[in-house]
């Protein structure tokens, strides 16, 4: 969260008051339809792909399952799940998207442009770092997170840098994942 706040302040200084829109917070795209209907549907589709395709394929390639052990305390523990969801929405959904999509991706575009090669490199490099940050899930978790992050980054790009939307997608994706952990499905 602190890094997100620092980024917003730095953007405010750099863009002289337009920090919010330069990160991708577009007021006209913050609608009920986008945030509470489309984003949850995209998150659900992304999660189905993640759970039934991405995790099995990458697990087969690496020979190592994702390490979800850091989330074991969520299994069957509703108060812990609810607290975790609040924290995850603030830090992962909101914080990570501001840092990785809103700031790093936008800065990359600022310096290297929006050519196809630049966008591909942007997505691969920024989401590679994003995946690396999930080291606690082991190599399979890092690779799966890299690929999932790349899909979210692609959505960010295709939606013309709509940060509200990818925050909601990320938040709903994590909510689905943690509910699965709560019920012992992951």
């Amino acid at each position: 969260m602190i890094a997100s706040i620092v980024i917003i302040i730095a953007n405010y200084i750099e863009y002289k008051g337009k920090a919010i829109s330069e990160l991708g917070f577009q007021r006209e795209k913050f609608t009920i339809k986008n945030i509470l209907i489309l984003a949850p549907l995209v998150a659900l589709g992304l999660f189905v792909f993640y759970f039934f395709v991405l995790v099995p394929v990458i697990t087969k390639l690496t020979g190592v399952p994702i390490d979800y052990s850091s989330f074991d305390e969520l299994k069957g523990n509703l108060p812990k799940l609810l607290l975790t969801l609040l924290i995850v929405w603030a830090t992962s959904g909101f914080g990570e998207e501001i840092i990785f999509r809103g700031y790093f991706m936008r800065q990359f575009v600022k310096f290297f442009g929006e050519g196809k090669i630049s966008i591909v490199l942007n997505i691969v490099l920024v989401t590679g770092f994003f995946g690396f940050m999930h080291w606690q899930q082991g190599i399979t978790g890092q690779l799966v997170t890299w690929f999932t992050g790349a899909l979210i980054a692609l959505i960010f790009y295709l939606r013309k840098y709509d940060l509200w939307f990818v925050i909601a997608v990320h938040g709903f994706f994590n909510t689905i994942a943690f509910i699965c952990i709560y019920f012992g499905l992951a």
Side-chain angles (χ1 to χ4, degrees), residues 7-40:
I7 285 172
I8 290 171
I9 292 168
N11 251 26
Y12 185 83
I13 292 167
E14 181 179 356
Y15 293 105
K16 301 187 182 23
K18 292 177 131 183
I20 302 300
S21 63
E22 288 300 320
L23 285 171
F25 289 111
Q26 302 167 26
R27 185 175 304 165
E28 67 277 0
K29 291 187 178 181
F30 187 77
T31 66
I32 298 291
K33 178 183 173 190
N34 281 339
I35 304 304
L36 297 179
I37 298 171
L38 293 177

Side-chain angles (χ1 to χ4, degrees), residues 89-143:
W89 268 88
T91 58
S92 297
F94 205 80
E96 287 179 355
E97 291 307 324
I98 287 174
I99 294 166
F100 289 98
R101 268 35 110 188
Y103 187 73
F104 287 143
M105 282 188 70
R106 298 286 291 184
Q107 288 297 315
F108 196 98
V109 166
K110 178 180 168 185
F111 290 110
F112 300 106
E114 288 194 58
K116 286 182 172 69
I117 293 173
S118 175
I119 294 299
V120 169
L121 283 174
N122 186 346
I123 290 172
V124 168
L125 294 174
V126 171
T127 60
F129 183 61
F130 176 73
F132 176 76
M133 300 274 303
H134 290 77
W135 56 268
Q136 76 279 8
Q137 295 178 13
I139 186 65
T140 301
Q142 289 177 306
L143 292 171

Side-chain angles (χ1 to χ4, degrees), residues 124-184:
V124 168
L125 294 174
V126 171
T127 60
F129 183 61
F130 176 73
F132 176 76
M133 300 274 303
H134 290 77
W135 56 268
Q136 76 279 8
Q137 295 178 13
I139 186 65
T140 301
Q142 289 177 306
L143 292 171
V144 168
T145 302
W146 184 356
F147 197 86
T148 305
L151 292 173
I152 293 173
L154 182 61
I155 292 167
F156 182 60
Y157 173 72
L158 293 173
R159 288 193 51 94
K160 308 289 186 229
Y161 308 110
D162 182 2
L163 194 57
W164 288 118
F165 190 78
V166 293
I167 286 171
V169 168
H170 194 153
F172 285 115
F173 180 92
N174 287 347
T175 299
I176 296 165
F178 285 124
I179 288 171
C180 286
I181 291 169
Y182 171 81
F183 285 111

Side-chain angles (χ1 to χ4, degrees), residues 52-124:
F52 291 106
V53 177
L54 203 52
V55 171
V57 167
I58 293 179
T59 299
K60 188 169 181 101
L61 290 173
T62 63
V64 181
I66 293 179
D67 181 3
Y68 292 118
S69 63
S70 61
F71 305 115
D72 281 348
E73 60 190 23
L74 296 179
K75 291 180 181 173
N77 187 340
L78 185 60
K80 187 70 171 178
L81 171 68
L82 296 175
L83 177 62
T84 299
L85 287 176
L86 285 173
I87 293 168
V88 163
W89 268 88
T91 58
S92 297
F94 205 80
E96 287 179 355
E97 291 307 324
I98 287 174
I99 294 166
F100 289 98
R101 268 35 110 188
Y103 187 73
F104 287 143
M105 282 188 70
R106 298 286 291 184
Q107 288 297 315
F108 196 98
V109 166
K110 178 180 168 185
F111 290 110
F112 300 106
E114 288 194 58
K116 286 182 172 69
I117 293 173
S118 175
I119 294 299
V120 169
L121 283 174
N122 186 346
I123 290 172
V124 168

